[in-house]
Amino acid sequence: MFWRKQRLNYKLDQSFLLNTKLRNMPFTVFDTETTGFAIAADDGLIEIGAVHVEKSEVTNRVFQTFVKPLGEIPEYITRLTSIEQYHVENAPTALEAIESYFQFIEDTKSGGWIGHHVSFDTLVIKKELQRVKYSYEEPTSFDTLDLIDYLNPSWDQLDLKEYAQLFGTPLFERHRALGDALTTAHLFVELLKHLEEKGIITLADLLRLKHSNLRLKTARF
């Protein structure tokens, strides 16, 4: 028997004209914490954190929730994140948590997702929904790593903390979803200033940068 996926109908990506100035756009900067890195197998969500960025400023509109995983949190993840089993025992299920997160995005009228290694976090969301036979229309996303690579392609890849220190932006609690989202949000706002100096001013410019980076990554393989 084939199961038809149900779609979550949230407005996750507002429509903006391509000539919209980036400094005028709203974005959702988000991060996830998981029981491990084998997301395509058995590892899953234990926390989602997000912060709303608008007009090149980090706002006080934030989102955070723990998530009850299917299994136990491994000790090495607790050491890394400080998230213990008791934090998630009475937490929402992955579906409930994701729906609350999507509602936050819809309420803030986001223009897209921002993340550090954003492909991992979007995969986490996608896989959790697939487990319960749900789908969604993924919004446009941008990775701070791609923006940094454009600004200085000679740099070796560093940790989020090191990038925050290099660009002189605030550092929040590491390996916690909201803390990393806040660190990434402040870094993103600073990167927008540097991108503007390079002529990356509009949504169209940022999309061209993203697609150019995707072509380069594909060519490397």
Side-chain angles (χ1 to χ4, degrees):
M1 180 176 182
F2 292 96
W3 292 89
R4 176 178 293 179
K5 289 182 181 178
Q6 301 179 71
R7 179 176 286 272
L8 294 179
N9 294 313
Y10 291 88
K11 182 76 171 170
L12 303 180
D13 196 349
Q14 301 293 320
S15 297
F16 287 92
L17 296 174
L18 290 175
N19 63 355
T20 302
K21 297 288 180 65
L22 294 174
R23 64 174 65 174
N24 295 329
M25 285 190 63
F27 294 99
T28 301
V29 185
F30 84 111
D31 184 70
T32 62
E33 299 299 332
T34 62
T35 57
F37 305 106
I39 298 303
D42 299 324
D43 286 323
L45 264 174
I46 54 175
E47 189 180 28
I48 307 173
V51 57
H52 182 64
V53 168
E54 188 157 8
K55 295 184 178 179
S56 295
E57 291 187 359
V58 181
T59 74
N60 61 4
R61 301 186 72 175
V62 298
F63 174 88
Q64 184 277 337
T65 183
F66 288 118
V67 182
K68 187 171 184 177
L70 295 177
E72 298 288 313
I73 300 175
E75 287 186 14
Y76 80 95
I77 292 295
T78 293
R79 289 195 298 270
L80 180 68
T81 66
S82 77
I83 300 173
E84 300 189 48
Q85 196 66 30
Y86 76 86
H87 287 117
V88 301
E89 283 298 336
N90 298 310
T93 65
L95 177 60
E96 291 167 339
I98 290 169
E99 286 203 271
S100 295
Y101 169 53
F102 283 2
Q103 188 62 59
F104 171 80
I105 297 169
E106 188 173 279
D107 291 345
T108 53
K109 296 180 170 57
S110 173
W113 284 355
I114 308 296
H116 195 75
H117 288 293
V118 72
S119 60
F120 175 81
D121 298 297
T122 55
L123 179 62
V124 171
I125 299 293
K126 181 179 180 180
K127 289 299 182 182
E128 287 289 6
L129 291 179
Q130 284 180 348
R131 287 183 178 122
V132 289
K133 306 294 189 298
Y134 274 86
S135 67
Y136 74 107
E137 186 173 348
E138 188 174 318
T140 303
S141 62
F142 301 97
D143 198 320
T144 49
L145 283 170
D146 291 340
L147 309 186
I148 293 167
D149 188 54
Y150 173 81
L151 291 168
N152 197 328
S154 65
W155 282 0
D156 293 329
Q157 193 170 117
L158 303 175
D159 181 74
L160 175 60
K161 175 182 177 180
E162 294 171 301
Y163 285 127
Q165 291 171 336
L166 279 170
F167 284 93
T169 54
L171 182 66
F172 297 83
E173 187 176 9
R174 287 291 284 117
H175 304 297
R176 288 299 301 272
L178 182 55
D180 281 348
L182 284 164
T183 299
T184 303
H186 284 276
L187 176 62
F188 173 65
V189 166
E190 182 65 21
L191 292 174
L192 286 181
K193 297 175 186 176
H194 292 271
L195 289 169
E196 188 167 320
E197 294 172 1
K198 297 279 190 179
I200 307 298
I201 297 170
T202 66
L203 175 59
D205 297 330
L206 196 61
L207 287 168
R208 277 195 294 270
L209 187 159
K210 173 180 177 172
H211 294 147
S212 174
N213 190 276
L214 286 173
R215 285 195 295 274
L216 285 173
K217 286 180 179 178
T218 302
R220 289 172 188 162
F221 293 98

